[in-house]
């Protein structure tokens, strides 16, 4: 059976999706993991496939890396297209708030990590790896690996990442309940934003294909190229938007303008929603399977307290971020939670928030905060490694 599955990765991928969606449908007091449950199933699959290969000395099953990367690109590009028409108006009205939250959420995480290092004497590489997992930031992990020259941070990342995903998914569902948010009122506030016309009727617009995949493909190409641009910092560390930030920005721009040189680059919203869901599922399958391969072994070797430290690094920035957004910056609940998803660089949480909010407009605050958070992560993670 194992050899059969190894030879049929497409079967494994859809088995994980099948079980993940079934498990995610389970609701406890109105709370459910939704698509996030795919991550847990992928973790289990990754663990048992890894254990079987070790015990029986057979070729390990490796989830194709294109699964996670393709999923991420599909998701963020779709989010960009959907959020584009209202993004710039929303950003103009709350630009300072998004900037503050993008910086503050990451800084709180960094300070929490520093406190854990000082109190517990935890190895710095391992602790910052935990922080990268708690914030689900692959660029952050890359910075730590590059600065330290070791792979220790990857261990911490693998331990903290699962709760980094699930924790934010649950948080965005719990917060509106705890504060008894009137979701209909929140949605109406978003709906007041003017929607820019995506196609100018007086001009002759060229339609390349009726489904709009030309525009989507254009956004991906431009986004990936944009994500490859590297801005150098000290000690050889560079900042780039990567395959998450680049396509997101490109999708926002094309979604906002609707045409490029009088060529229609719009896409049906329902199709975009389907691509967004498919992308999120593939991303969780790839990320979860990879993390599951050594998750239990690492916990046994380093102790369960590492997992607890990761939980702390996930929860504290969200609580502080919500307080800052609501009480200081006076943002609405949905704007606040979208910003927290962006500040925590949590792609899966945005998917959960969209379902909870029942509006795609929350993606605008995520898209505004996310690039800021990534830039701060690249800088502060490097400083954290150098100080400790």
């Amino acid at each position: 059976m194992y050899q059969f599955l190894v030879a049929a990765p497409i079967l494994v991928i859809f088995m994980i999706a099948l079980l993940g969606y079934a498990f995610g449908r389970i609701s406890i007091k109105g709370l459910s993991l939704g698509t996030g449950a795919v991550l847990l199933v992928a973790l289990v699959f990754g663990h048992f496939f890894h254990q079987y290969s070790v015990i029986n000395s057979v070729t390990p099953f490796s989830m194709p890396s294109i699964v996670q990367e393709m999923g991420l690109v599909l998701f963020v590009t779709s989010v960009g297209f959907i959020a584009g028409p209202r993004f710039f108006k929303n950003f103009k009205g709350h630009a300072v708030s998004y900037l503050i939250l993008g910086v503050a959420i990451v800084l709180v995480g960094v300070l929490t990590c520093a406190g854990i290092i000082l109190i517990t004497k935890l190895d710095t590489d391992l602790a910052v790896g935990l922080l990268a997992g708690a914030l689900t930031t692959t660029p952050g992990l890359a910075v730590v690996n590059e600065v330290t020259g070791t792979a220790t941070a990857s261990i911490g990342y693998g331990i903290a990442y699962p709760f980094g995903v699930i924790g934010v998914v649950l948080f965005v569902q719990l917060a509106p309940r705890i504060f008894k948010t009137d979701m209909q009122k929140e949605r109406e506030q978003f709906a007041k934003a003017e929607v820019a016309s995506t196609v100018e009727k007086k001009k002759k617009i060229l339609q390349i294909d009726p489904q709009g995949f030309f525009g989507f493909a254009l956004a991906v190409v431009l986004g990936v190229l944009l994500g490859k641009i590297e801005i150098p910092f000290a000690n050889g560390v560079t900042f780039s938007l990567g395959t998450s930030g680049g396509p997101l920005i490109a999708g926002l721009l094309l979604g906002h303008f609707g045409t490029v040189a009088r060529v229609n680059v719009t896409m049906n919203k329902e199709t975009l929603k389907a691509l967004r869901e498919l992308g999120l599922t593939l991303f969780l399958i790839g990320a979860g399977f990879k993390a599951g391969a050594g998750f239990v072994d690492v916990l046994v070797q380093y102790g369960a307290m590492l997992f607890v430290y990761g939980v702390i690094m996930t929860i504290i920035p969200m609580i502080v971020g919500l307080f800052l957004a609501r009480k200081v910056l006076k943002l609405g609940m949905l704007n606040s939670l979208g910003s927290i998803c962006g500040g925590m660089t949590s792609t899966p949480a945005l998917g959960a928030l969209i379902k909870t909010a029942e509006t795609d407009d929350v993606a605008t605050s995520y898209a505004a905060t996310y690039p800021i958070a990534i830039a701060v992560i690249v800088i502060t993670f490097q400083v954290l490694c150098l100080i400790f």
Side-chain angles (χ1 to χ4, degrees), residues 191-213:
K192 290 178 182 178
E194 294 180 13
V195 181
S197 178
T198 56
V199 180
E200 203 168 326
K201 301 297 183 181
K202 294 181 180 180
K203 294 180 180 180
K204 290 184 178 180
I205 304 300
L206 176 62
Q207 181 80 41
I208 300 294
D209 69 298
Q211 290 76 29
F213 284 107

Side-chain angles (χ1 to χ4, degrees), residues 37-91:
V38 173
L39 177 78
L40 294 182
V41 175
L43 279 169
V44 173
F45 268 65
H47 168 69
F48 283 106
F49 271 65
H50 172 72
Q51 288 298 106
Y52 185 91
S53 66
V54 171
I55 294 172
N56 296 280
S57 300
V58 295
T59 303
F61 175 83
S62 178
M63 182 66 67
S65 59
I66 190 65
V67 173
Q68 182 177 345
E69 188 172 5
M70 178 67 78
L72 182 59
V73 168
L74 288 175
F75 180 83
V76 297
T77 306
S78 301
V79 166
F81 266 103
I82 294 171
R86 295 185 181 181
F87 172 76
F88 291 99
K89 183 176 179 64
N90 189 33
F91 182 80

Side-chain angles (χ1 to χ4, degrees), residues 266-283:
T266 60
M267 197 170 188
N268 180 275
K269 193 172 182 179
E270 293 306 313
T271 303
L272 287 170
K273 287 181 178 180
L275 288 174
R276 185 184 66 197
E277 185 70 13
L278 174 63
L280 180 57
T281 301
L282 291 176
F283 172 76

Side-chain angles (χ1 to χ4, degrees), residues 201-324:
K201 301 297 183 181
K202 294 181 180 180
K203 294 180 180 180
K204 290 184 178 180
I205 304 300
L206 176 62
Q207 181 80 41
I208 300 294
D209 69 298
Q211 290 76 29
F213 284 107
F214 171 81
F216 194 89
L218 177 62
V220 172
V221 170
L222 294 177
V224 171
L225 292 175
L226 177 63
K228 294 293 183 182
I229 298 174
E230 295 184 343
I231 301 173
F233 286 104
N235 300 315
V237 176
T238 60
F239 162 73
S240 67
L241 290 171
T243 52
S244 52
L248 174 64
I249 300 299
L252 282 170
L253 291 172
L254 268 62
H256 174 71
F257 291 107
T259 60
V260 175
R262 298 194 180 183
V263 175
N264 187 359
V265 292
T266 60
M267 197 170 188
N268 180 275
K269 193 172 182 179
E270 293 306 313
T271 303
L272 287 170
K273 287 181 178 180
L275 288 174
R276 185 184 66 197
E277 185 70 13
L278 174 63
L280 180 57
T281 301
L282 291 176
F283 172 76
L284 292 174
I285 290 172
F289 195 94
K290 182 179 179 181
F295 183 75
V296 175
D297 293 340
V298 170
L299 275 182
V300 171
Q301 181 179 354
Y302 289 91
M305 280 307 296
L306 286 184
F307 179 78
V308 176
Y309 297 150
V311 170
I312 293 171
M313 292 182 199
T314 296
I315 292 177
I316 291 180
M318 290 193 295
I319 293 175
V320 174
L322 185 60
F323 175 82
L324 182 62

Side-chain angles (χ1 to χ4, degrees), residues 149-213:
T150 70
T152 307
S154 298
I155 296 172
Y157 180 87
I159 291 175
Y161 182 86
F163 186 81
V165 173
I166 301 302
V168 191
V169 167
L170 293 176
F171 185 85
V172 298
Q173 294 181 72
L174 278 170
R177 292 183 172 212
I178 293 174
F179 293 95
K180 298 179 179 179
T181 304
D182 185 341
M183 300 298 278
Q184 181 59 35
K185 184 178 180 180
E186 291 282 337
R187 287 191 290 270
E188 289 173 357
Q189 288 179 356
F190 268 116
K192 290 178 182 178
E194 294 180 13
V195 181
S197 178
T198 56
V199 180
E200 203 168 326
K201 301 297 183 181
K202 294 181 180 180
K203 294 180 180 180
K204 290 184 178 180
I205 304 300
L206 176 62
Q207 181 80 41
I208 300 294
D209 69 298
Q211 290 76 29
F213 284 107

